[in-house]
Amino acid sequence: MNYQYYIADVFTNQIFNGAQIAVLPKADGLNAEKMAKIAKELNLSETVFLFHKADNAKYRRMRIFSPLGEINFAGHPIIAAAYVLAISGDVALTEPLTKLEFEQNIGVIQVNLSSEDGQPGLVQFSRGVDSIVDRFSPSDDEICSFLGLQLAELDHKKYSPRLVSCGFPYLVVPVWNYESVRKARFNYAAWAQSAAPQTAAQEILLFCPKSSSPEADFNARLLGPNIGIHADPPVGSALPAFCCYLCSFEHTQKGTHTFAVERGDQSTRRSLIQLEMDNKGLENLTIRVGGQAVLFAEGKIMLPD
């Protein structure tokens, strides 16, 4: 049996940028074993399988697999799936805003898909997150040693390093300049000898309040012992923790904040993620994540009957 698939570059409007996500918009009939094999064969960061519900044209069951196995929640697949449903004609864009529902393993997610002249634009979804913020972090000397930075590059005026978890712990480290984010290199030996492993964080979210692009308010990068020394992976999974991190500072005013986070640059598959957060000073934080996508490839997967 044949299954149509699409590959979309997500959180960008230019091919060869953003994160590559595969989407099978009509995956009905596939079981978990076959989905896992397809994701492993495609070997992209995430492959999305969508299943229909006969009596609801705007609802899809969504299952997500990496080459290593199933993922309960991910944000990039939401953007990719909404975009692919629109360009494949599976969802009609008859209004400027189309509402969709995607059921991931963690529950149903509400999605807004904007369009103009029948063409998909910004995709946005909302999520409520609970966080744990710990002000304990390794010393500045230790942080600089395992990131290859100088003490003067760390920001302690507006922000400070903190451990933040929304289910997965990140060590969030602020620096002054975009150049510091780009040049940082993870040193495993220095990491292992520091207090960092005691925090349980296995990934560092390094960020600065500047960017090479006027479209972005922050530039962010993930580093860690399980990330290649020259790699610049997608940061979408860390952004709920980043929003909670920003709200943990007293100078972050109550109310709704809108901003954009850039990952990488034109040489490293640049992504641009639009964020809104409703800071009410409570443990639960509502965030809205938005982005665009662009089609890179499409084809058929031919499985034996």
Side-chain angles (χ1 to χ4, degrees):
M1 186 171 180
N2 295 342
Y3 288 88
Q4 189 78 14
Y5 76 94
Y6 300 80
I7 297 177
D9 290 340
V10 177
F11 287 120
T12 182
N13 58 6
Q14 297 179 345
I15 62 168
F16 305 121
N17 283 276
Q20 282 192 312
I21 306 294
V23 180
L24 280 72
K26 296 181 179 179
D28 302 274
L30 290 174
N31 58 28
E33 180 183 3
K34 288 183 178 178
M35 286 187 279
K37 286 182 177 180
I38 291 170
K40 189 173 183 179
E41 187 75 9
L42 292 175
N43 200 33
L44 297 175
S45 60
E46 290 153 339
T47 298
V48 188
F49 302 87
L50 298 175
F51 301 86
H52 291 63
K53 188 176 181 181
D55 60 347
N56 191 335
K58 301 298 177 66
Y59 171 94
R60 297 292 185 280
R61 173 76 172 107
M62 171 187 287
R63 294 185 70 176
I64 307 161
F65 285 77
S66 78
L68 300 178
E70 189 164 12
I71 300 171
N72 289 328
F73 170 81
H76 288 76
I78 297 172
I79 309 297
Y83 174 78
V84 165
L85 288 176
I87 62 165
S88 67
D90 201 279
V91 168
L93 302 180
T94 57
E95 301 291 338
L97 188 68
T98 301
K99 294 184 178 295
L100 302 171
E101 291 184 325
F102 292 148
E103 183 189 0
Q104 295 191 6
N105 287 352
I106 64 163
V108 176
I109 297 168
Q110 307 294 330
V111 180
N112 291 326
L113 170 59
S114 64
S115 62
E116 185 174 352
D117 298 327
Q119 296 300 311
L122 185 76
V123 182
Q124 186 185 67
F125 66 93
S126 62
R127 185 185 177 199
V129 294
D130 294 307
S131 66
I132 298 174
V133 180
D134 190 341
R135 299 191 182 192
F136 170 79
S137 69
S139 68
D140 288 357
D141 286 331
E142 290 175 318
I143 290 174
C144 287
S145 68
F146 58 67
L147 291 180
L149 300 176
Q150 302 296 316
L151 287 171
E153 295 178 86
L154 299 183
D155 175 8
H156 270 291
K157 185 174 182 180
K158 187 172 184 179
Y159 301 109
S160 62
R162 291 182 179 178
L163 181 72
V164 184
S165 176
C166 297
F168 184 88
Y170 294 92
L171 177 61
V172 186
V173 176
V175 292
W176 291 108
N177 296 314
Y178 169 81
E179 291 75 18
S180 299
V181 174
R182 303 308 315 150
K183 76 173 187 179
R185 292 292 180 270
F186 183 78
N187 184 317
Y188 183 83
W191 168 272
Q193 295 172 9
S194 73
Q198 300 175 27
T199 67
Q202 289 298 301
E203 294 185 4
I204 304 153
L205 182 63
L206 183 67
F207 81 94
C208 68
K210 297 179 181 179
S211 170
S212 62
S213 168
E215 298 176 288
D217 301 285
F218 298 94
N219 188 277
R221 183 179 173 197
L222 283 172
L223 305 99
N226 299 315
I227 298 173
I229 188 170
H230 296 293
D232 196 356
V235 299
S237 60
L239 291 181
F242 180 61
C243 289
C244 294
Y245 168 86
L246 295 176
C247 291
S248 72
F249 291 89
E250 293 183 357
H251 58 71
T252 301
Q253 296 181 353
K254 302 290 191 300
T256 298
H257 298 259
T258 302
F259 54 96
V261 175
E262 178 188 51
R263 181 214 61 86
D265 55 27
Q266 294 296 342
S267 66
T268 57
R269 302 192 64 90
R270 175 180 180 266
S271 298
L272 186 68
I273 305 170
Q274 306 289 342
L275 290 164
E276 292 180 2
M277 63 183 187
D278 299 328
N279 181 23
K280 298 179 180 180
L282 304 174
E283 290 184 0
N284 183 270
L285 177 68
T286 297
I287 64 171
R288 289 174 289 278
V289 182
Q292 294 180 285
V294 61
L295 182 66
F296 175 72
E298 63 178 294
K300 289 183 180 180
I301 295 172
M302 292 171 281
L303 301 179
D305 293 332

